[in-house]
Amino acid sequence: MKTENTRKATKKEWIGLAVIALPCLLYAMDLTVLYLAAPQLSADLNPTPSQQLWIMDIYGFLVAGFLVIMGNLGDRIGRRKLLLYGAAAFGVASVLAAFSPSSEILILTRAILGITAATLAPSTLSLIRNMFLDPEERTFAIGIWGMSFSLGGAIGPLAGGVLLEYFWWGSVFLMSVPVMILLLIVGPKLLPEFKDPNSGKMDLPSAVLSLVSVLSIIYGLKQIAENGLGTVSILTIVVGLLVGAVFIKRQTVLEDPMIDLQLFNLPVFTAAVIGNTMTIFVALGTFLFISQYLQLVLGLSPLEAGLWTLPGAVGNVIGSLAIPMIVRKIRPLHVMLGGLVLLAIGMYMYSLIDSSNGIWVIIVGSLVMSLGICAVVILGTDIIVGSAPPERAGAAASISETAVEFGGVLGIAVLGSIGVAIFKSRINALSLPGLTPEQMENSRNTLASAVAVAKELPEPSRQILLNTAQGAFTDSLHFVSILSVGISVALALAIYSILRNRKEAEGTPEPAELDKVTR
């Protein structure tokens, strides 16, 4: 007879997985779908520059801030209950956002969407942890779960572009409503309920400390990405780190902490968190450059640029399906290390981009890189949720998702700032007669502003500025790509070092099902 830890999933669980994947797809789509609608939205609501920035950013901002809280809430009240409540609120907020009469209302509804979206990822991931007890099946299920996010990110701009061809900007929000209604109808029948039977009440001070810490750090990092280092960005990050230290200290004295810090005594858990964080750091940090290169150097439209990034999404689909099968034959540690090698190869290919081969290098590099990312993130996520006892799966899932969010924001801030510094140094060396001080200042800010200034100039000054700016941006892309190669290699060495000596570490008990990771 099979033990609980090796029980195979039934047809009901596999159908339930398909149901779980739908809100994850929409979660990712909502992160990207609004960018194409920005021009129509601006013309209709006439937001200030500050309001437009908050309309775009507040969704992801609050998703990151509420992940830990929602993961713990799901452990206490039930993961299915939290998912269904969150889906209902997400659907209502989507309708309100679609018909927002003003920028202020749209910012508010986007904030509600972010908070409710934070219920989706930890709830779905922790449900998978309890629905698929067989380690091989769980790895495959997490692959499907991860693939839904990748597809959502890729489909978002394309679906948004189609809707905007025929409808108003608010239509991009209504895509989620039918899916959320379907989830509310079939979810209670197909998804089991799980919660920690011994959990106490959530510690309110810990929840507040967690929220303040995460929001402060991410706000500071976003400020660095947008405006460079400044007093406000540094101060908010320092405040966030200090509040985070208080939060961690408080967890050590609580009987029922929001985050079980003992999990970090497991070398495999720590390696997985580091691996996921830094892999997304490199991936999103460089994607920022690629999207701009396609539009502002090669001159593609947003929709065309989105189409040329589809090979990366195809790589995510292939990787999500293939990795669970590969680890049946090859040790997962070796698969993760191989994934980091593929990530480094993809980044190196980006460093070879020039005006004659840009598209094809990006296609091949993105495909190789996406396979590497899948290997690290799918197995890393599997390790993180598998490390925690079933009753604490929601808290573990929130750690996984928060690490990914931090990795993405940190990558954009750090690698983006490095790229901007290189771009500015190249533009500062340009001496172009007829360029006013204001035009020169605008030209050195970003590639987009330099292209806008170039359009105002007569020939040959226009072409000189355009060539210089595009060359400077390409140089910054090359440097960041080589730097990312080094980070990927260093990450592979660090993970290998952590896991190679795991049996020699003292006081680090490991769940039996995780022994396969490094055996």
Side-chain angles (χ1 to χ4, degrees):
M1 188 172 98
K2 295 182 182 294
T3 65
E4 184 184 37
N5 285 336
T6 58
R7 178 181 61 83
K8 297 291 184 179
T10 65
K11 183 179 179 180
K12 180 179 180 180
E13 274 87 26
W14 290 111
I15 297 175
L17 177 63
V19 173
I20 282 175
L22 289 175
C24 296
L25 186 91
L26 291 169
Y27 166 100
M29 288 178 66
D30 258 48
L31 286 170
T32 58
V33 73
L34 200 59
Y35 287 100
L36 287 178
Q40 290 186 22
L41 185 155
S42 298
D44 190 12
L45 299 183
N46 194 28
T48 66
S50 176
Q51 288 174 333
Q52 186 163 359
L53 189 64
W54 279 110
I55 288 170
M56 297 298 171
D57 286 349
I58 197 166
Y59 175 82
F61 191 59
L62 291 181
V63 166
F66 277 87
L67 279 171
V68 172
I69 294 173
M70 293 303 180
N72 278 267
L73 185 60
D75 285 340
R76 287 165 169 78
I77 70 171
R79 287 85 183 253
R80 185 182 68 185
K81 181 182 292 185
L82 180 66
L83 175 62
L84 296 179
Y85 284 168
F90 192 94
V92 172
S94 296
V95 174
L96 294 176
F99 296 97
S100 295
S102 67
S103 299
E104 292 82 1
I105 297 298
L106 183 56
I107 292 171
L108 176 61
T109 54
R110 284 280 285 172
I112 297 172
L113 281 170
I115 295 171
T116 55
T119 67
L120 303 180
S123 294
T124 52
L125 185 53
S126 55
L127 279 170
I128 288 174
R129 167 68 177 90
N130 293 97
M131 290 164 63
F132 298 92
L133 299 176
D134 179 79
E136 290 184 354
E137 290 185 339
R138 187 179 66 229
T139 302
F140 182 79
I142 289 175
I144 298 297
W145 176 85
M147 183 179 69
S148 66
F149 285 98
S150 300
L151 286 176
I155 292 171
L158 300 178
V162 172
L163 286 172
L164 293 170
E165 284 287 328
Y166 301 100
F167 305 102
W168 89 113
W169 60 265
S171 63
V172 299
F173 291 108
L174 297 181
M175 289 188 295
S176 63
V177 176
V179 174
M180 293 306 175
I181 292 175
L182 177 64
L183 176 61
L184 291 173
I185 293 173
V186 303
K189 300 176 182 178
L190 294 175
L191 301 178
E193 182 61 285
F194 293 103
K195 64 180 178 179
D196 182 358
N198 300 315
S199 66
K201 292 184 178 179
M202 184 179 292
D203 182 56
L204 184 58
S206 290
V208 174
L209 289 170
S210 167
L211 185 62
V212 171
S213 176
V214 173
L215 291 182
S216 297
I217 294 173
I218 289 185
Y219 179 78
L221 292 172
K222 281 184 174 290
Q223 287 295 305
I224 292 174
E226 293 160 6
N227 306 311
L229 282 173
T231 303
V232 173
S233 59
I234 294 174
L235 183 61
T236 53
I237 290 174
V238 170
V239 169
L241 292 173
L242 292 175
V243 174
V246 175
F247 168 78
I248 291 173
K249 179 66 176 177
R250 184 173 181 84
Q251 304 315 295
T252 63
V253 299
L254 292 176
E255 289 186 10
D256 189 18
M258 288 183 65
I259 291 180
D260 185 1
L261 298 178
Q262 295 298 317
L263 288 173
F264 287 94
N265 288 335
L266 295 171
V268 288
F269 182 90
T270 303
V273 171
I274 294 172
N276 280 9
T277 302
M278 295 308 299
T279 297
I280 300 300
F281 172 96
V282 168
L284 288 191
T286 51
F287 182 76
L288 174 70
F289 288 85
I290 296 300
S291 60
Q292 293 183 72
Y293 180 88
L294 289 170
Q295 295 181 63
L296 299 175
V297 177
L298 299 185
L300 303 180
S301 69
L303 187 57
E304 289 173 329
L307 288 172
W308 283 113
T309 60
L310 282 180
V314 172
N316 283 322
V317 173
I318 294 172
S320 298
L321 297 175
I323 295 302
M325 293 184 284
I326 292 173
V327 294
R328 296 175 185 176
K329 305 294 184 181
I330 304 174
R331 286 188 291 179
L333 171 60
H334 292 167
V335 176
M336 291 181 71
L337 296 178
L340 289 170
V341 170
L342 289 177
L343 180 61
I345 292 172
M347 292 297 171
Y348 178 72
M349 294 188 69
Y350 284 170
S351 73
L352 303 177
I353 288 173
D354 60 35
S355 58
S356 64
N357 66 7
I359 283 286
W360 297 109
V361 171
I362 288 173
I363 289 174
V364 178
S366 298
L367 183 59
V368 172
M369 194 172 70
S370 62
L371 294 173
I373 292 170
C374 282
V376 178
V377 174
I378 289 174
L379 295 180
T381 302
D382 188 19
I383 291 168
I384 292 170
V385 298
S387 300
E391 66 273 10
R392 299 292 289 165
S398 68
I399 293 174
S400 175
E401 289 303 296
T402 302
V404 167
E405 292 288 341
F406 265 112
V409 175
L410 190 62
I412 291 172
V414 174
L415 297 181
S417 297
I418 292 172
V420 168
I422 295 171
F423 177 81
K424 287 184 175 181
S425 69
R426 301 290 193 273
I427 296 296
N428 286 338
L430 174 66
S431 177
L432 189 63
L435 205 62
T436 67
E438 182 181 0
Q439 288 175 323
M440 185 63 191
E441 180 62 28
N442 288 336
S443 297
R444 67 190 294 271
N445 286 335
T446 63
L447 175 59
S449 58
V451 170
V453 170
K455 292 179 179 178
E456 302 171 357
L457 301 176
E459 294 290 358
S461 296
R462 174 184 177 276
Q463 199 60 45
I464 292 173
L465 176 58
L466 196 59
N467 290 343
T468 302
Q470 290 175 339
F473 183 83
T474 304
D475 288 344
S476 66
L477 169 59
H478 290 167
F479 183 87
V480 168
S481 299
I482 291 296
L483 179 61
S484 297
V485 171
I487 293 172
S488 302
V489 173
L491 179 59
L493 294 174
I495 290 177
Y496 178 73
S497 177
I498 292 172
L499 298 183
R500 180 186 58 182
N501 298 321
R502 66 181 180 84
K503 292 183 179 179
E504 299 173 11
E506 295 181 1
T508 55
E510 299 188 34
E513 71 261 28
L514 291 179
D515 191 56
K516 66 167 188 172
V517 176
T518 54
R519 67 178 185 270

